[in-house]
Amino acid sequence: MKYYDVLLPIPKSYILTYKSDKTLDKGLRVVVPLGKRNVTGIVYKQSEKSEFDYEIRDIIEILDNKPFFKENDITFLEKLSAYYGYSLGNVFAGIISKKILEISGTDFNQDISTHSKLATLNAEQQKIYEEIIKNNDFNCSLVHGVAGSGKTEIYIEVIKHFIQRNKQVLFIVPEISLTPQLIKRVSDRLGIIVESYHSKLTQKQREKVILGFRDGHIPIIIGARSSLFIPSCDLGLIIIDEEHENSFKQEEAPCYNLRDAAVLKAKIFNIPIILGSATPSLESYYNAKIGKYRYFKLTNKFHGGSDSSLKIIDLKGEDKLSGILSLTLYDAILKRIKNNEQTILFLNRKGYSSQLICQNCGETLFCQNCAVTMTYYKSDETARCHYCGEKLKYLQCKCGSNNFMDFGVGTEKAYLILENLFPGEVIKLDADTITSQKRLNSVLKDFEKNKFKILLGTQLIAKGLNFPNVTLVGILNIDNIFSLPDFRNNERAYQLLTQVAGRAGRFEKNGEVIIQTFNPELPVFGLVNDEKFYEYELNNRQMFSYPPYFKVVRFIFSHIKEHIAKESCKKIEYFTKGLNLDLKILPAVPAPIYKIKNRYRFHLVIKSKNHNDIRKTVKLIKNEVDKLKLSTLNFKIDVDPYFFL
Ligand code: ADP
Ligand code: ZN
Ligand code: ZN
């Protein structure tokens, strides 16, 4: 009898052992009993032990005749586990979805004869292309170019180069950019059917892509985040477009950043990786600056056209229509409507209003389960919590009054105001209206067909959308970005402003960008679309000991009992202070959002220049928390955190 440790999609920190009389290779999929059910897992290794003082159950079925995950795939998971401080079991369960494991069926063949359409790169693109394809080993290239500068064209040529050499390619984009247009564009240019991979595929479609990629019949996948973990046959290149995207950061345990995971994977597989963005993250920019990444800059929009003109409107001074629209922006929109051109308006807040204030006693209505204000939705007259999903129909203040006044403008309210000013011309795009990919595509199509003159949306619209007829972009208000306790505020504002500005005038017509703010004096407004921003912000980061100069880790302790959350956090703070390592330890304090879903939250943030000491600390803290033996304590490790709420 042989004993095997099997990785299972269950969130446990230990790995279970099963037995079989067969010899099983690492990476095979097997079905094993777990309690009363059967689950699919992966053979991790032959167990080190052969005697057990508890019952070892039998492996029921072996699903593959050759390993589903190769050695490298498993090494990749091990490295993620070591870097992010989660056990291998937790990483496996949190990242490799059941959907990937539970595919069945046989693979199929696809004809890879290429009849690609030709495009000739311009001199600037050609030079970058040639540099990138020089090397097949691990190296990371950062391609920095404004929207429309031709990054995607370079990717396509590089992809072609690798596919012609029988290498496979993973092209990963944010879920929102994974549009039929992009798939079609790449398919047409490569002359093959390109498969896409995302969360909304049917199990059958998923099967086709996963097996096809594993067996090498599919040369390329364009996919969302989860495609990084699909097993491959002969992977030769990874591309991450919009590498700076916040949505690449996973906030739930196991917390990890897809971009960084992809670089790790490329290193383990010893293949090149390309990161692309119009507004690279400070981390990637810095890595390029110090020579860790190769740096390529595209300076011009491919189709030319002068840059959009940029106007910053100080909301403190101006008269505002219905409280949200300066006359300057109003006139600019009106002019576009007259010229049969289109406008995109941006507002980073959903719902009707962000606060309800009691008319009787002045208290703000908070969620009962979370320390956050309730957002009002006029459409169904409810107050909702964006953190726990609580939805109140009947609103009552602690003082008994049910007379509230609303404050703050969300997209729902802005929509009504705009509809009133420009009847029949406005379409809204936010997480509340976009309930499916289909719905999203139909909204975008309607706008593209010029059925509406104004598209109003949240940050969803800042991403890769491409409308030739849009000549005006307005940002109704960006100030809530600056109110967060977060060292990335400037970076986020810069990225958002620059990306949104890139939406206007992508083609021949010259665009105009109008930004409304109460804080026009902030330096970032003077640096939109300007690479000088990076020097300015790197300087800030260095001054205040933040990434990329310092590594940061955040530990979050939450518990339904306030004192338990607090004491655990404090204990770990003392423990960490006792370590003789090169660390800056910020005091253990209540998290800015002090309660979510009735759990009280405390956090501890540590920083260091020394990557080794950070790694050691994460390990030691994890052990120390395990020693507390508090099964009801929720403990989260966030290495390279993106949010601090
Ligand atoms: P980005 O990915 O940087 O936003 P794209 O690659 O999408 O830029 O290019 C912007 C536009 O310019 C697209 O319409 C694309 O078809 C066109 N384009 C870019 N490079 C070329 C080229 N070498 N030949 C023809 N058209 C190009
Ligand atoms: Zn009241
Ligand atoms: Zn809540």
Side-chain angles (χ1 to χ4, degrees), residues 358-363 397-401 404:
C358 173
Q359 289 282 62
N360 181 43
C361 73
E363 287 274 323
C397 179
K398 277 185 241 142
C399 76
S401 158
F404 289 94

Side-chain angles (χ1 to χ4, degrees), residues 404-426:
F404 289 94
M405 203 161 95
D406 65 84
F407 275 88
V409 179
T411 43
E412 195 187 10
K413 188 168 181 177
Y415 174 78
L416 294 174
I417 293 171
L418 290 163
E419 250 308 303
N420 204 14
L421 294 168
F422 311 103
E425 301 287 12
V426 193

